[in-house]
Amino acid sequence: SSSMHTHPDGLTYVLEGALAHKDSTGASSVIRVGDVQRMSAGTGISHSEYNASETEPVHFLQIWIIPNETGLKPGYEQRSFDLEKKSGSWVLVAAPDARDGALKVHQDAELSLAVLPKGEKLHYRLRNGRQAWVQVGRGKVTLNGSLLATGDGAAISREEVVNLTADDQSEILLFDLR
């Protein structure tokens, strides 16, 4: 018996340094701080990511989202988001309807990023039946009363509002999921 194999959409987000990307279609790019790249492997792409610098460290997050449809064409999209300019507010970077300049993802999931200066508060309202996954890219935040540090993640369900307070200059990723 054969089964359809779907490759997830890969979102790469660089927190510091620069990441070089090469793949079997001949595409290569450098993903820099504030850039988000979506790669839909579709029917298959082999790819590699490596540090673009021999001296500077690179810190990046790679997020895989399983698409809700099969047979997607391979493709890339890369956008730069000025999070510093929009400091203290959510910036939508990936969504199925690609609204507000977000990257398109083939799933009912939205990814928002925020840079939050120390002491600032931010909240996110979840629509009925939605849940959130919060990931701290850097810094320290208090999330609905719990302290989270760099690298920590937390799932939130059955809550209407995600309340965040930055205990340090922080960068936060929030996934809005069904």
Side-chain angles (χ1 to χ4, degrees), residues 32-53:
R32 300 183 189 284
V33 175
D35 289 354
V36 181
Q37 184 201 65
R38 174 187 56 83
M39 180 182 78
S40 299
T43 47
I45 289 181
S46 59
H47 63 99
S48 63
E49 272 77 27
Y50 54 93
N51 194 340
S53 160

Side-chain angles (χ1 to χ4, degrees), residues 10-176:
L11 293 174
T12 302
Y13 174 59
V14 174
L15 287 144
E16 105 185 90
L19 192 69
H21 169 99
K22 269 201 177 78
D23 72 51
S24 53
T25 68
S28 69
S29 63
V30 176
I31 312 167
R32 300 183 189 284
V33 175
D35 289 354
V36 181
Q37 184 201 65
R38 174 187 56 83
M39 180 182 78
S40 299
T43 47
I45 289 181
S46 59
H47 63 99
S48 63
E49 272 77 27
Y50 54 93
N51 194 340
S53 160
E54 289 176 15
T55 52
E56 294 290 308
V58 63
H59 178 189
F60 69 99
L61 296 170
Q62 205 155 32
I63 299 136
W64 297 98
I65 296 174
I66 305 295
N68 52 10
E69 51 193 293
T70 56
L72 293 168
K73 282 195 177 68
Y76 288 94
E77 220 185 334
Q78 188 170 324
R79 267 227 189 119
S80 191
F81 297 91
D82 191 346
L83 297 174
E84 296 293 337
K85 202 174 80 186
K86 296 177 176 142
S87 176
S89 61
W90 293 111
V91 179
L92 183 71
V93 299
D97 60 2
R99 71 184 184 280
D100 302 338
L103 297 170
K104 182 176 176 62
V105 284
H106 301 94
Q107 186 50 277
D108 184 7
E110 295 184 357
L111 170 59
S112 297
L113 299 176
V115 166
L116 205 53
K118 185 174 177 166
E120 283 208 20
K121 290 180 173 12
L122 189 58
H123 69 269
Y124 186 98
R125 194 166 288 283
L126 284 167
R127 300 190 304 282
N128 203 16
R130 304 286 293 183
Q131 39 199 339
W133 175 265
V134 174
Q135 183 80 35
V136 182
R138 63 171 152 215
K140 285 203 288 282
V141 298
T142 300
L143 165 71
N144 291 7
S146 303
L147 187 65
L148 298 179
T150 303
D152 289 346
I156 294 135
S157 53
R158 297 186 298 279
E159 300 247 6
E160 262 178 52
V161 184
V162 178
N163 288 304
L164 288 162
T165 304
D167 299 297
D168 221 330
Q169 167 84 10
S170 299
E171 206 159 325
I172 304 126
L173 296 86
L174 184 143
F175 295 85
D176 183 326

